[in-house]
Amino acid sequence: MIFLKKNNYIKSLIILPILISSNIKSVFAQQGIDSSLYENYHVLIKDNTETQKGLLTIHKVDGKYYFEIPEVILGKEILIATKISDVPKATEAFAVGAGSQPHDQQIIRFQKQDYSIVMKVVSYKSIADKNLPIHQAAKNSNSESVVYKFKIEAINKKTGGYVIGINDFFTSDIPMIGAFKDYEYLKLGISNVDQSRSFINWIKAFPENIEIRHTLTYRGSKLSEDNLNKIVSVTLNQSMVVLPNNPMTPRFYDERVGYFSIEHIDYGLDEQKASTVKYIQRWRLEPSDWKAFSKGDLVEPVKPILFYIDPATPLKWRPYIRRGVEAWQKSFEQIGFKNAIGIKDAPTINEDPDWSPEDIRYSVIRWMATTNRSANGPNIHDPRTGEIIEADILFGHNMMRLLRNWYFTRTAAANPKARPIKLKDEVMGKLIQIVISHEVGHTLGLLHNSIT
């Protein structure tokens, strides 16, 4: 115990808090933290703040959006997938339309760097077993690039969450979250994003994912003649979901079986060369009862494949779309699964106001209002293993004209049903059913069963 004279005691009462404050600031500085960021939290997150808690905590205050990123999320591998929500007529010649994916999904991670949070993009083009010495060399040759640097605006003292502003990120010309492919930039004469006419529409936070809807307005010199302002606005949906800590066991690609695949260079293989490996894209179907499954009994999967019918789909075609999906149930029964694939109507706004066809949790068969005569079945998959996370079927309205033409040219000589200019609904419905079944095959990872 130290005894001080009265005057010295009074001085110590004045100096001690200063020393403590100084020491705290010094400790925070060593950790790359400004202690004032804790005080800023209650200044920034006001009483009128709209807050959502989920995978990340989302704050909206005075028209600005913020991510509050917990320490546990830092370093996690997060899949970010982009879908077009609304597309103007100016791009119809180059994009399928709403629901389409302008580019492949990406893996990102958030990391703390001094007083900032950096977003890095993760690539799995070069890999090696983590237990092998060459793993570090493969990692060094496949470094993670910084996509964006966010300033830490505040820190939640209770949770330790880092608060970053995100408006600038989602209103900038960043290819990862952009609307166009490279060739579309050239054809449309796209120059840049006009931030003054770009904005975040809304953000929704869920336990497993974050959904961000934002509008980007581009300047373009080669847009349609009726576009006097030479601008094009596209509304996009960004889905962010943390990839599983225990990735699905991948299945090697075999060229004798037509599957979509992903490709890595695996430096850990004992082949005296930089060897390429391919994994197929497939759903993670796991038996709910392994004992019964092993005996050859039909069992339901832990998580079946479920499609939703887009609310925009004409009512008279929905039964045929349903049959097109359910036709695959027999195929799954051949490998031991019952009720492995299903389809249901999308919930109404009253039933689920948060439901969205762009949400990464839902696989949707979408009816596209486009003049393009096309249908396709894209998927979103884990770039590490090929696990399909979500898949959609995009059916263009004008596809019916293509089906009518095909049916006429191929069968009309011997088939009176194919001769009318407008086919009967039952005939057209069955043709739509065939296309849906075909596209379901693609969403399962299957290529065309033809020799190329």
Side-chain angles (χ1 to χ4, degrees), residues 7 27 38 66 112-113 134 138 153 181 199 277 310 340 414 436:
N7 289 340
V27 170
Y38 290 98
Y66 298 88
K112 185 177 176 296
Q113 182 65 40
I134 199 172
E153 305 280 352
K181 296 179 173 66
F199 50 88
V277 294
D310 180 5
I436 294 299

Side-chain angles (χ1 to χ4, degrees), residues 33 42 66 108 175 221 316:
I33 299 174
H42 294 292
Y66 298 88
I108 61 169
S221 60
K316 65 180 178 181

Side-chain angles (χ1 to χ4, degrees), residues 38-52 57-66 68 153-154 156 163:
Y38 290 98
E39 301 170 6
N40 288 352
Y41 187 83
H42 294 292
V43 175
L44 184 65
I45 310 303
K46 306 174 185 177
D47 292 337
N48 64 337
T49 300
E50 299 175 25
T51 297
Q52 303 177 61
T57 298
I58 309 299
H59 300 293
K60 182 184 180 183
V61 55
D62 298 334
K64 294 184 178 180
Y65 284 92
Y66 298 88
E68 183 176 318
E153 305 280 352
N156 188 331
V163 179

Side-chain angles (χ1 to χ4, degrees), residues 246-252 279-280 282 284 286 385-387:
N246 298 315
M248 179 188 72
T249 301
R251 183 173 296 172
F252 287 107
Y279 302 136
I280 67 171
R282 66 187 180 99
R284 186 189 292 209
E286 299 171 323
T385 63
E387 177 187 355

Side-chain angles (χ1 to χ4, degrees), residues 240-413:
M240 300 175 66
V241 58
V242 174
L243 291 173
N245 291 327
N246 298 315
M248 179 188 72
T249 301
R251 183 173 296 172
F252 287 107
Y253 170 83
D254 187 326
E255 62 182 8
R256 295 170 297 179
V257 184
Y259 268 91
F260 292 106
S261 62
I262 60 173
E263 186 175 294
H264 306 297
I265 299 175
D266 192 342
Y267 289 94
L269 299 178
D270 187 15
E271 295 189 9
Q272 298 183 355
K273 66 175 183 178
S275 184
T276 298
V277 294
K278 287 185 176 182
Y279 302 136
I280 67 171
Q281 296 178 20
R282 66 187 180 99
W283 293 83
R284 186 189 292 209
L285 281 182
E286 299 171 323
S288 56
D289 185 340
W290 274 102
K291 187 176 181 180
F293 185 76
S294 300
K295 291 193 303 181
D297 296 337
L298 289 178
V299 300
E300 293 187 351
V302 173
K303 185 178 181 180
I305 302 166
L306 177 63
F307 286 96
Y308 289 87
I309 298 178
D310 180 5
T313 304
L315 293 176
K316 65 180 178 181
W317 305 132
R318 296 187 186 188
Y320 299 99
I321 291 173
R322 188 180 299 275
R323 291 171 203 159
V325 174
E326 292 174 343
W328 278 91
Q329 289 181 351
K330 292 182 180 179
S331 298
F332 283 102
E333 289 173 2
Q334 295 298 311
I335 59 172
F337 289 107
K338 65 179 180 181
N339 301 322
I341 188 168
I343 183 169
K344 62 191 299 186
D345 290 329
T348 64
I349 293 178
N350 290 333
E351 292 171 335
D352 186 353
D354 289 327
W355 191 91
S356 166
E358 286 84 34
D359 193 320
I360 198 170
R361 294 174 297 172
Y362 310 120
S363 296
V364 184
I365 300 177
R366 304 195 64 173
W367 195 272
M368 317 298 293
T370 173
T371 57
N372 291 346
R373 300 180 181 184
S374 64
N376 58 54
N379 70 57
I380 295 173
H381 58 271
D382 186 339
R384 304 173 303 177
T385 63
E387 177 187 355
I388 298 175
I389 298 171
E390 180 263 12
D392 296 320
I393 294 173
L394 310 179
F395 188 95
H397 185 81
N398 216 25
M399 182 66 185
M400 290 188 289
R401 178 51 52 187
L402 181 61
L403 289 174
R404 182 262 174 195
N405 291 347
W406 279 350
Y407 193 53
F408 174 82
T409 57
R410 298 176 185 184
T411 72

Side-chain angles (χ1 to χ4, degrees), residues 131-255:
N131 298 316
L132 298 175
I134 199 172
H135 170 73
Q136 188 59 47
K139 186 176 180 181
N140 293 342
S141 299
N142 200 34
S143 63
E144 300 172 0
S145 299
V146 176
V147 179
Y148 204 82
K149 183 179 178 182
F150 302 87
K151 177 185 176 182
I152 297 176
E153 305 280 352
I155 301 176
N156 188 331
K157 190 174 183 179
K158 293 182 178 179
T159 65
Y162 301 100
V163 179
I164 58 175
I166 59 170
N167 283 63
D168 285 346
F169 176 75
F170 286 105
T171 56
S172 298
D173 193 6
I174 298 173
M176 174 187 287
I177 58 171
F180 300 109
K181 296 179 173 66
D182 289 342
Y183 75 90
E184 291 173 331
Y185 271 91
L186 295 173
K187 288 190 175 182
L188 296 173
I190 298 295
S191 55
N192 60 353
V193 169
D194 184 349
Q195 272 197 312
S196 67
R197 287 179 281 189
S198 302
F199 50 88
I200 297 176
N201 300 59
W202 48 255
I203 301 179
K204 294 180 180 180
F206 303 102
E208 298 178 358
N209 61 305
I210 302 293
E211 300 295 322
I212 303 106
R213 188 69 56 86
H214 64 124
T215 297
L216 295 177
T217 299
Y218 295 84
R219 295 185 180 93
S221 60
K222 300 178 183 178
L223 302 175
S224 58
E225 292 183 1
D226 60 347
N227 192 328
L228 301 179
N229 297 310
K230 299 303 177 186
I231 58 169
V232 56
S233 295
V234 183
T235 302
L236 300 116
N237 192 93
Q238 310 294 339
S239 296
M240 300 175 66
V241 58
V242 174
L243 291 173
N245 291 327
N246 298 315
M248 179 188 72
T249 301
R251 183 173 296 172
F252 287 107
Y253 170 83
D254 187 326
E255 62 182 8

Side-chain angles (χ1 to χ4, degrees), residues 79-140:
L79 188 77
I80 181 166
T82 305
K83 289 184 183 179
I84 292 176
S85 178
D86 297 313
V87 60
K89 184 179 179 181
T91 63
E92 278 197 1
F94 312 108
V96 173
S100 60
Q101 300 171 28
H103 44 74
D104 291 337
Q105 61 272 342
Q106 301 272 302
I107 298 178
I108 61 169
R109 75 169 89 247
F110 292 106
Q111 289 184 333
K112 185 177 176 296
Q113 182 65 40
D114 296 329
Y115 300 113
S116 303
I117 297 293
V118 294
M119 177 192 288
K120 292 185 175 182
V121 62
V122 183
S123 172
Y124 274 88
K125 290 298 181 184
S126 298
I127 61 173
D129 190 306
K130 292 183 178 180
N131 298 316
L132 298 175
I134 199 172
H135 170 73
Q136 188 59 47
K139 186 176 180 181
N140 293 342

